[in-house]
Amino acid sequence: MQERRPGLDPAVAEVRRAVRACLEGRQGAVVIALSGGADSLALAAAAAFEAPRHGIRAEAVVIDHGLQEGSPVIAERAAELARGLGLAARVVAVDVRDAGNGPEAAAREARYAGLARAAAETGADAVLLGHTLDDQAETVLLGLARGSGAASLSGMPPERRYATGPAWVRPLLGVRREVTAAACAAEGLDPWRDPHNLDPAYARVRVRETVLPTLERELGPGVAEALARTAEQLREDAAAFQDMIDETIEDIVEHAEAGISVSVAALAANPAALRNRIIRYVVDSEFGVALTRTQTLEVARLATEWRGQGPIDLPGCRARRVGGRIEIVARAAS
């Protein structure tokens, strides 16, 4: 680790170190997702400093969701701040359409689609996102409140790549939100303060403004760091389980008419944690459906507690036992 130069603000140094670590070994170009808030602005400032030293082109992309009055002006101000840092910057307007999952999910989907298009147009292999350790802690708490499994509680990964599109990279997952705010202040940057981030109508805002501070006050400092460590440990567990599934899946799963079938003996022989993950994985892979725990356990009982029970209706598909296999088929074909 390089020593901090005399006179360099500690917060600026911490953010730069985090960005430097994520840029090492990369080539070409990256896109920085910039909202104008303190987290993404500190990220942009650090990337503007570090990217040229790694031979990387960096462009800031500001997504205008069009959901607030004056949003084009707010977005353009953020782009101007990025240009003042020496970055190429542009505003991308997106059309937010709620498909029934709520306005936050709709805005997130539109935002990521806009960033992916911008990355493709720029030739960027990665999009840098400004999520911090505090965001990670909030994500874990929200997952706990929903009763989510380990995959959800593992939070946001530092880097994720899907079958197509750029890598989604979060350099600041080990950095506290107070550090990004301090870095902006040290560099004379005036972040935009999104009023939505103070609206208690949103569960994440209530966690940020009320729940986490209460936990820190009642349990002592370090709760956010502990939650982030929990997420990291669960990501390691999830990766290990996925390796086991990948090794097992080809031997126990076969194609069936309008669906798939899984060996009853193989499912029953596996520990419950692996068995349930296999069931969720094959249903999600084949039908794009995320089973609840109750649904997963009902399917598992077709292998472990078979009493002649009939088919189980699932979202978009149906599970049934046929001899020594469990068939999961499209609802219309069952």
Side-chain angles (χ1 to χ4, degrees), residues 79-110:
E80 280 299 317
L81 285 172
R83 294 182 191 115
L85 294 167
L87 291 168
R90 58 175 156 147
V91 174
V92 174
V94 296
D95 184 14
V96 178
R97 297 183 181 182
D98 189 348
N101 295 322
E104 288 179 278
R108 182 171 58 251
E109 186 174 322

Side-chain angles (χ1 to χ4, degrees), residues 175-234:
V175 177
R176 295 299 305 262
R177 189 175 290 137
E178 63 191 28
V179 173
T180 63
C184 287
E187 298 197 86
L189 299 171
D190 182 20
W192 178 58
R193 292 160 181 82
D194 186 349
H196 284 170
N197 288 338
L198 296 174
D199 187 348
Y202 297 102
R204 184 173 287 273
V205 172
R206 296 195 298 275
V207 168
R208 177 180 304 146
E209 298 296 322
T210 304
V211 178
L212 263 175
T214 299
L215 289 174
E216 294 270 354
R217 184 175 64 252
E218 297 296 330
L219 301 179
V223 171
E225 288 87 350
L227 289 167
R229 285 196 304 274
T230 298
E232 185 175 359
Q233 292 164 6
L234 287 172

Side-chain angles (χ1 to χ4, degrees), residues 14 19 71 77 84 91 125 135 175 185 213 237 257 274 327:
E14 182 174 345
V19 171
S71 65
R77 177 185 179 274
V91 174
D125 184 58
D135 293 307
V175 177
D237 292 347
E257 186 176 352
L274 185 55
E327 290 188 352

